Amino acid sequence: MIKVDNLSYSFPQKELYNNISFTLEDGEHCAFIGTNGSGKSTLIDIIMDPEKYMFDGKLEMSPNCRIGYVSQFSQLDERKEITVFEYIGDEFIKLQNKMTRICTEMETSSDIDTLLEAYQQTLDAFNAINGDDFENIIDKKLSLTNLIKYKNLMISELSGGEFKLIQVIKEMLNSPDLIIMDEPDVFLDFGNLNSLRDLINSCKGTMLIITHNRYLLNHCFNKILHLENLELQEFDGNYIDYNFSLLQTKIELQELAAADNEELERNQILVDRLRFLATDHNEAYRGRALNARVKIQERLEKRKIKTPFVDIKQPNISFASDKKMDESIALKVSDYSARFDDVLLENVSFEIKSTDKVALVGLNGTGKTTLLTEIFENTNDCIEINENIEVAYLSQLQGKTLNESNTVLEEFFEAGFKTYEDIKLHIASYGFEEDIINQKITSLSGGEKNMLQLAKVSASKTNMLLLDEPTSHLDTYSQIALEKAIENYKGAILMISHDFYTIVNCMDYVLIIEDKTIRKTSMRKFRKMIYANHFDKDYLEIEQKKKLVETKIELALKDTDFTLAKDLSNELEELIKLL
């Protein structure tokens, strides 16, 4: 389907790929992973429109390859006032109407041969998408995603998550040779995430999907492409096996690197000793011995273990507050209501204490973002924020908190930073190199923009955080770093999230939106609800144990205890077999 051979590409301010190669074959479901800003979306753009880019190397595709594409951003401004069926069946309806129009023209035209040829071409295209059975196929896909009840609903009435699934169905039913999706899971609730999993697994064709979602990665793919540090690694197999393989490689290479470092240190001691002797004594043989030993050191440096897929930049996210508070009520919401066309929330009341970490959970379109925005704006009489509380806000709509026409430098000067050096040091903790500092924010990836939001929230040093889908667009390494930051934060957090891992790893309890109201539930009950309605209990519990062992391995590697790391690796392998 696709063959990439020694492809290299750079922006004026950033090198993205250095001689990367991979193949994508018919029927493969390939996950495309890598840290934020590593160039995943750009590589997809090159595949979709190679003539637009000046790159070195070769890109070969099957002749007449038809590509279906789902963007990471829902095209809300392009929604027309049409029904779900009309939106999904757009191509089918156009072909049907075209055949009807040609038949009508045949009744009066003398150029029957030309019309017959046009009719045959249109009929071939109609048959290619199984036109005779098209409505039945649409019904099956809508039923698979529990969206059949929306078939005759207007597109504009769907939530963002529902619309994303409809986009996926539309592309699948147009029967492309290759379906490319860029983070299709962003903002999906638990039910819709399962529906996306089912859609991906029901597809018999070739798929290339950028995703950081740990649940989809574990359940949907038989090939992994990992882009990291300008290089690309190709793995035939599922993500769980790939991740284990990567960890084993890390243990092996770090042990070899430790031995390399010891040899380098021993040799450097000899070089220093010989240099001292050569300085004090003029004998020629001492100079020759020094030069020989320096060349050995240079060879050792050259052969030193390089680990592009092990040395992954993990950001150091940190939230701190300048204000210490005794435990008190940070936020009180009383008889709050919200509507958008229909009533979303009605007479809702709840309280959050100054050290509570609370997840706000509900189906797409139930009013979570509306509520969080109103709390941040604090202009509603039903919302009361403690006078000692200062609030910082992260929006799922990144343009609300970032001025995308600014450079990164300008954005942080406006946020109160005084010097270039202060800004450089601060954003370095969030995985940004100095060369990004003068880039326009609009040129950054979705994940990089979210990391900038987190960097701004961190700098605010407030004692209450309002986080709307903070893990969206973030790579898995950044998600884990964010979880650690949330765990260590001493203030209050109210977080909208559909990421099960982040919720169960960090939150004290959950506020669930159901039937236009909010009820408080413990983590134990929330887990039970998720197990019953969405995910398999055994899988999730094993996954949690797996994460704990992986953390122990990381700590063992930090202590250079390679024997312990290998023992833990065997324990991890047994857990993986259960998954």
Side-chain angles (χ1 to χ4, degrees), residues 33-230:
I33 64 173
T35 47
N36 297 134
S38 56
K40 299 181 297 296
S41 295
T42 301
L43 187 57
I44 276 180
D45 290 341
I46 291 172
I47 290 170
M48 292 181 63
D49 191 2
E51 300 299 322
K52 186 178 171 184
Y53 294 86
M54 295 287 292
F55 57 85
D56 295 324
K58 290 183 180 179
L59 168 60
E60 299 174 17
M61 295 184 68
S62 297
N64 305 314
C65 178
R66 293 173 60 247
I67 298 177
Y69 176 65
V70 178
S71 167
Q72 62 177 293
F73 303 108
S74 293
Q75 305 300 315
L76 300 174
D77 57 336
E78 293 181 9
R79 294 188 186 186
K80 299 175 182 176
E81 282 303 305
I82 56 176
T83 66
V84 167
F85 175 77
E86 289 168 336
Y87 176 81
I88 295 174
D90 177 57
E91 185 69 16
F92 160 76
I93 293 167
K94 281 180 184 175
L95 291 170
Q96 201 173 48
N97 290 342
K98 187 174 180 180
M99 287 191 292
T100 301
R101 188 172 65 251
I102 292 171
C103 288
T104 302
E105 289 179 27
M106 282 182 183
E107 294 174 6
T108 56
S109 175
S110 57
D111 191 4
I112 296 295
D113 288 344
T114 301
L115 289 172
L116 280 172
E117 185 178 346
Y119 184 86
Q120 187 59 51
Q121 288 175 348
T122 309
L123 181 61
D124 289 344
F126 187 76
N127 289 335
I129 61 171
N130 297 308
D132 287 336
D133 198 32
F134 201 82
E135 186 163 2
N136 184 41
I137 295 170
I138 288 177
D139 287 349
K140 285 180 179 177
K141 291 292 186 188
L142 288 172
S143 296
L144 181 67
T145 54
N146 298 310
L147 295 175
I148 188 67
K149 58 184 177 291
Y150 298 142
K151 179 179 176 180
N152 297 310
L153 201 68
M154 304 305 288
I155 281 286
S156 57
E157 297 178 68
L158 299 177
S159 71
E162 291 161 349
F163 181 59
K164 180 59 68 75
L165 289 178
I166 294 299
Q167 285 181 300
V168 174
I169 291 172
K170 178 183 173 73
E171 291 304 322
M172 284 186 173
L173 292 185
N174 287 335
S175 301
D177 303 299
L178 169 65
I179 294 178
I180 293 176
M181 294 195 263
D182 193 348
E183 297 192 51
D185 49 89
V186 172
F187 308 136
L188 294 189
D189 62 39
F190 298 120
N192 285 335
L193 183 62
N194 264 334
S195 295
L196 177 60
R197 177 204 65 190
D198 293 341
L199 279 174
I200 292 170
N201 290 337
S202 72
C203 179
K204 305 300 182 190
T206 311
M207 307 187 88
L208 178 61
I209 300 176
I210 295 176
T211 183
H212 304 300
N213 186 281
R214 288 169 274 185
Y215 184 68
L216 289 184
L217 283 170
N218 287 348
H219 284 85
C220 295
F221 302 100
N222 54 22
K223 186 184 184 84
I224 307 295
L225 294 180
H226 186 173
L227 185 61
E228 204 73 53
N229 303 332
L230 310 182

Side-chain angles (χ1 to χ4, degrees), residues 190 350 352 356-362 368 372 467 486 493-500 502-504 506-513 518-521 523 526:
F190 298 120
F350 62 89
I352 293 178
D356 285 351
K357 294 168 186 173
V358 185
L360 183 61
V361 172
K368 301 183 297 297
L372 207 68
L467 308 176
I486 290 172
I493 296 177
L494 180 58
M495 178 183 76
I496 296 172
S497 182
H498 298 302
D499 189 304
F500 177 84
T502 305
I503 293 171
V504 298
C506 306
M507 296 292 108
D508 297 324
Y509 61 88
V510 179
L511 296 176
I512 298 177
I513 298 181
I518 288 180
R519 63 182 174 86
K520 179 179 176 180
T521 189
M523 290 308 306
F526 174 71

Side-chain angles (χ1 to χ4, degrees), residues 276-522:
F276 173 77
L277 292 173
T279 304
D280 276 7
H281 306 279
N282 292 326
E283 293 92 335
Y285 77 89
R286 294 187 188 277
R288 288 195 297 272
L290 172 61
N291 289 336
R293 185 56 61 177
V294 167
K295 285 179 180 176
I296 290 171
Q297 186 77 343
E298 288 171 353
R299 284 199 298 272
L300 288 172
E301 286 285 357
K302 280 183 181 177
R303 77 163 204 201
K304 189 178 176 183
I305 296 295
K306 293 183 179 178
T307 56
F309 292 93
V310 173
D311 183 22
I312 294 167
K313 291 178 289 186
Q314 298 196 28
N316 180 25
I317 302 171
S318 174
F319 301 130
S321 172
D322 281 342
K323 275 195 169 184
K324 301 291 183 186
M325 280 192 66
D326 296 328
E327 186 161 312
S328 58
I329 302 301
L331 169 69
K332 186 174 182 179
V333 176
S334 308
D335 295 323
Y336 170 84
S337 298
R339 64 179 302 120
F340 182 80
D341 293 335
D342 294 324
V343 174
L344 296 175
L345 294 166
E346 193 166 26
N347 301 326
V348 164
S349 299
F350 62 89
E351 293 178 347
I352 293 178
K353 293 179 182 176
S354 56
T355 57
D356 285 351
K357 294 168 186 173
V358 185
L360 183 61
V361 172
L363 298 178
N364 293 132
T366 50
K368 301 183 297 297
T369 294
T370 301
L371 172 58
L372 207 68
T373 303
E374 288 225 72
I375 292 171
F376 178 64
E377 292 171 350
N378 196 22
T379 56
N380 191 313
D381 292 339
C382 300
I383 296 169
E384 182 183 345
I385 298 177
N386 187 310
E387 61 181 9
N388 294 316
I389 288 289
E390 291 181 16
V391 178
Y393 176 55
L394 180 145
S395 173
Q396 64 168 271
L397 302 173
Q398 296 158 335
K400 276 195 168 186
T401 59
L402 298 172
N403 182 346
E404 298 199 7
S405 63
N406 272 348
T407 63
V408 173
L409 185 68
E410 291 165 342
E411 188 74 13
F412 280 87
F413 273 139
E414 290 179 9
F417 281 74
K418 302 301 181 187
T419 69
Y420 179 99
E421 195 65 25
D422 287 343
I423 294 170
K424 185 184 80 170
L425 287 173
H426 182 69
I427 66 172
S429 296
Y430 292 78
F432 293 109
E433 303 288 347
E434 185 176 0
D435 58 8
I436 208 171
I437 207 163
N438 289 308
Q439 278 186 236
K440 292 280 189 184
I441 291 174
T442 190
S443 71
L444 303 181
S445 71
E448 287 174 313
K449 289 175 186 175
N450 241 27
M451 287 302 291
L452 272 190
Q453 281 201 91
L454 288 167
K456 281 186 70 176
V457 166
S458 166
S460 66
K461 298 191 183 304
T462 54
N463 49 10
M464 184 171 186
L465 306 180
L466 304 176
L467 308 176
D468 192 352
E469 301 279 9
T471 60
S472 65
H473 307 295
L474 293 187
D475 59 58
T476 49
Y477 314 107
S478 300
Q479 289 173 28
I480 292 167
L482 174 60
E483 288 173 12
K484 289 177 184 174
I486 290 172
E487 284 181 83
N488 294 330
Y489 183 58
K490 304 304 181 187
I493 296 177
L494 180 58
M495 178 183 76
I496 296 172
S497 182
H498 298 302
D499 189 304
F500 177 84
Y501 301 95
T502 305
I503 293 171
V504 298
N505 290 338
C506 306
M507 296 292 108
D508 297 324
Y509 61 88
V510 179
L511 296 176
I512 298 177
I513 298 181
E514 282 180 330
D515 301 323
K516 302 173 186 175
T517 190
I518 288 180
R519 63 182 174 86
K520 179 179 176 180
T521 189
S522 67

